Amino acid sequence: YMDFLYSTYKRDKFRTRIEQGKEKGTVEIYISHRGMEQVPTTKIDNNTPAAFAWALMPPDPNLEAEMLARLMVKFGASQEKAKTDIVAATTANPQTERARVVTENEQSRLIVDDSFDRAWRRVGLALDRVGFTVTDRNRAEGIYYVRYADPESDVSKAKNEGFFSNLAFWRSKTEVVPENYQVNVASVNATQSAVLVVAEKAPAQNTDIERILNILKDQLK
């Protein structure tokens, strides 16, 4: 029973990314959240859980906003200003569908209703949230160089691992080798941008490209 009594049933992980700002002498700081929780996998009499496994949780924008506010306070902002700025940033845009996958000439891409600067920031945050490893980036050309492996494979492996493995559930346990991709962000016009995914080595299957685009769309919509 130690598998589910050793600690709480949820884990939160935050990633902080720092990029050179658009204005000279400034930097931009991004914080993304990923979480996992224990879910029952088998039950005994009276529906009492008998075994648990770690499962991914959706990113929590409220936790990201809270961590950003705390960071602003550490950098000298008052708690009132930090709270006001975070609220203004998170409510500045209406909650409408703003991203969609389109296919033209057998090539799929993601259309985002944002200017290039905003789309670049949001795509970077989406990559962090869903578990891509950003190995390099070129903002001038709008390219993120990433490695990606399906995070669900970690969960499926974790079901059969013990107490000490669960303590390090952030560490990759999958034997699947991550693939290298380029995520290209380009301006379409003043209010729209396009996101294109390209495999760095052998051409990727269309299903793989569309799957990655749909993962990003879920974060950008």
Side-chain angles (χ1 to χ4, degrees), residues 64-162:
E64 293 171 347
E66 174 66 22
M67 294 298 287
L68 279 172
R70 293 186 183 188
L71 189 60
M72 290 176 66
V73 171
K74 287 294 184 180
F75 283 150
S78 66
Q79 291 186 355
E80 292 76 13
K81 176 173 175 52
K83 182 177 179 180
T84 300
D85 288 351
I86 292 295
V87 170
T90 54
T91 59
N93 296 287
Q95 299 299 313
T96 57
E97 194 83 3
R98 297 163 56 203
R100 55 208 170 274
V101 176
V102 299
T103 301
E104 297 177 355
N105 299 323
E106 298 184 353
Q107 185 178 54
S108 297
R109 59 178 179 166
L110 182 64
I111 300 298
V112 184
D113 293 334
D114 282 315
S115 64
F116 172 80
D117 288 334
R118 179 171 173 78
W120 172 263
R121 294 193 296 268
R122 296 185 67 221
V123 168
L125 182 58
L127 292 172
D128 290 342
R129 280 176 168 173
V130 298
F132 285 78
T133 299
V134 179
T135 59
D136 200 359
R137 61 186 61 83
N138 185 330
R139 183 167 182 163
E141 297 184 6
I143 302 176
Y144 286 99
Y145 299 90
V146 304
R147 290 198 310 268
Y148 181 71
D150 185 1
E152 293 295 339
S153 58
D154 286 356
V155 178
S156 62
K157 291 276 289 181
K159 291 181 180 179
N160 297 319
E161 297 188 357

